[in-house]
Amino acid sequence: MVFILWACEEDTIGQGELGTITGKVVLEGENTPLENVKVTTNPVTNTVFTDVDGNYTLAEVEVGEYSVQADLDGYKTAFEAAKVVADKTVNAVIEMQNENVDNKVPEVPRLLFPADGAKSIQSPVQFSWSSSKNDDDETLYTLELRNGLTNEIETFTKLTDTILSVDYLDIGANYFWQVTVSDGINDEVSSELSGFSTLNPVDNRFLYVRNLDGNNVIFSGMPLAENAQENTNEVRLTDIGQNSFRPKKNPKNDRIAFLRTVGAETHVFSMDAKGTDLVQITSAQPILGFRPEELEYCWTSNGEHIYYPQFNKLYRIKSDGTGNTLVYAAPATEFISEVAVNPVNSFIALKTNDQFGYAAKLYVIDPADGSQKHMVQEGLPGAIGGIDYAADGNRVLFTYDVSANENDAYRQLDARIFEFELATSARREILTKKPAGYNDLDVKYAPDDGAVIYISTSNDGVSKKDIYITGYNEIDQRTKYFIDGIMIEWH
């Protein structure tokens, strides 16, 4: 009996040594309740989850000292001590921290190039900025670029480098740019806003062409500075993705005519000095003849029309593409390849050749009746090219390959510059100190007739072509004006 009574008394005492832990889980520093937090104890008793108000209750916990643990994704595990007393309720408020609370915000990007307020920036532009990392988080950059003329915004996202090259910027435009950095954890951080302007080609005096990625591209620029390794103020006026060549400045305004490949045809276009406001001038009657890049056309002296060849025919068309008229027809076997208009009268200088570029003639006609006025050169083997009129209208400039070489590749071996005086029919060579094995090609008078400008290249047919000038007071001298350029035109 005594034993039985003693055993029953022990059971009663054990059930009485239980207590309860209640509490609340909140965000540290803000006291915001956290819902669905997993709450356990150590030593282990049971597991519960907080309600919408962050409250929890751990019932029937044996008396003793515990560490109450709170776990929630995105937060650091938190602990709070609790001493359980029999038949009592102990309260344990647990404060949790966001797991990124110690993560450092990326540094503010510092814009390096173009500098704020920079002018005459050339395209393509290589933007650069700095933004040191504060921790091991991966950082991604966003560059936002706004055109001040059009208000168009271009955004470059998910950049991992602090350098970005951007092409096709408008010419003579103001741009504004800003860089934002994100580590995917903290709020994004943005740089200050910076502005710059692109190079304005209005004052550039020259137009020329360079081959880029298989297409001819038109540029404007100024002559090389002394000992310079790059062309000065060079501005690309036409797209790299289109074959555009043979620029011609309108004598009365800032319009620039040029040739462009359209499908299988070559047509005459015009644009403004910034390479915008494109107009296709020819359509039904394209320019045709011996090798498109060997073909020349020209503006009339008043700038209202353009003369251009189509095989043996010479057409005149208005600058807006209307009023296309046949002006002159050479014999059917003679292709008109080049044309120049006398600035003093209406006479036209023509260069014709056969389908291989040879049997070349250079002569002057009156377009009013098609009559021949002067024969500059005929009956000589070899290539002729680059015809131009002097400002006084009494001289014609051209090149001639004195080697008299003729071949299927139309390769010239010793092309030199000559001048023909119409009044006396006298011809003379303009000495340019041309190295042996080189050609002087595509020659033009300076607007004041004080110099000639031309293309100089090795006669191997594959070497780079540079642009040189020789002044009349510097006979037998040559000065490099542009690197890697062809089809030079005074602007």
Side-chain angles (χ1 to χ4, degrees), residues 217-348:
V217 180
I218 300 173
F219 294 83
S220 73
M222 295 293 284
L224 281 171
E226 187 174 358
N227 299 321
Q229 300 301 311
E230 294 181 349
N231 293 331
T232 304
N233 288 354
E234 181 172 271
V235 177
R236 180 173 55 78
L237 301 181
T238 59
D239 293 340
I240 296 176
Q242 294 180 291
N243 189 42
S244 306
F245 55 101
R246 196 62 70 183
K248 298 286 184 181
K249 171 71 168 60
N250 188 304
K252 296 299 182 181
N253 56 43
D254 285 334
R255 297 295 295 180
I256 300 168
F258 64 98
L259 301 183
R260 171 168 286 177
T261 302
V262 181
E265 298 179 341
T266 301
H267 285 280
V268 183
F269 286 72
S270 71
M271 61 184 172
D272 61 23
K274 293 183 178 181
T276 58
D277 189 24
L278 252 62
V279 174
Q280 182 172 342
I281 297 176
T282 60
S283 55
Q285 298 279 4
I287 186 169
L288 290 167
F290 170 70
R291 294 192 175 187
E293 293 179 13
E294 297 290 339
L295 298 178
E296 281 269 20
Y297 64 100
C298 68
W299 290 97
T300 55
S301 298
N302 60 14
E304 295 178 359
H305 295 81
I306 283 177
Y307 286 113
Y308 73 96
Q310 188 182 82
F311 296 122
N312 68 315
K313 296 180 175 64
L314 181 68
Y315 288 91
R316 184 182 65 197
I317 189 170
K318 289 184 178 180
S319 59
D320 63 0
T322 63
N324 201 357
T325 305
L326 177 64
V327 175
Y328 173 78
T333 57
E334 298 179 9
F335 293 173
I336 299 173
S337 293
E338 300 190 36
V339 54
V341 172
N342 193 310
V344 176
N345 55 44
S346 60
F347 292 172
I348 299 173

Side-chain angles (χ1 to χ4, degrees), residues 290-291 294 353-359 380-384 401 403-415 439 459-461:
F290 170 70
R291 294 192 175 187
E294 297 290 339
N353 49 257
D354 62 19
Q355 60 182 324
F356 305 107
Y358 299 115
L380 296 178
I384 299 175
D401 181 10
S403 75
N405 180 60
E406 295 187 355
N407 56 84
D408 292 341
Y410 198 63
R411 177 183 171 187
Q412 301 184 50
L413 300 181
D414 192 6
N439 288 316
N459 67 12
D460 61 10

Side-chain angles (χ1 to χ4, degrees), residues 357-435:
Y358 299 115
K361 295 180 182 179
L362 177 53
Y363 57 96
V364 176
I365 66 166
D366 182 351
D369 57 12
S371 61
Q372 181 178 300
K373 296 300 181 181
H374 301 276
M375 177 58 71
V376 178
Q377 182 166 306
E378 70 171 334
L380 296 178
I384 299 175
I387 63 174
D388 192 28
Y389 267 110
D392 63 7
N394 187 43
R395 288 166 292 149
V396 174
L397 195 66
F398 64 100
T399 64
Y400 172 58
D401 181 10
V402 299
S403 75
N405 180 60
E406 295 187 355
N407 56 84
D408 292 341
Y410 198 63
R411 177 183 171 187
Q412 301 184 50
L413 300 181
D414 192 6
R416 303 182 185 184
I417 299 172
F418 293 88
E419 187 178 56
F420 183 87
E421 187 174 355
L422 299 175
T424 64
S425 296
R427 187 180 83 161
R428 73 182 184 97
E429 180 181 351
I430 296 178
L431 303 176
T432 62
K433 205 174 184 178
K434 180 177 70 68

Side-chain angles (χ1 to χ4, degrees), residues 34 41 76 110 166 173 213 307 360 456 484:
L34 296 177
T41 61
K76 292 184 176 181
R110 184 165 62 91
V166 180
D213 299 333
Y307 286 113
S456 177
D484 192 13

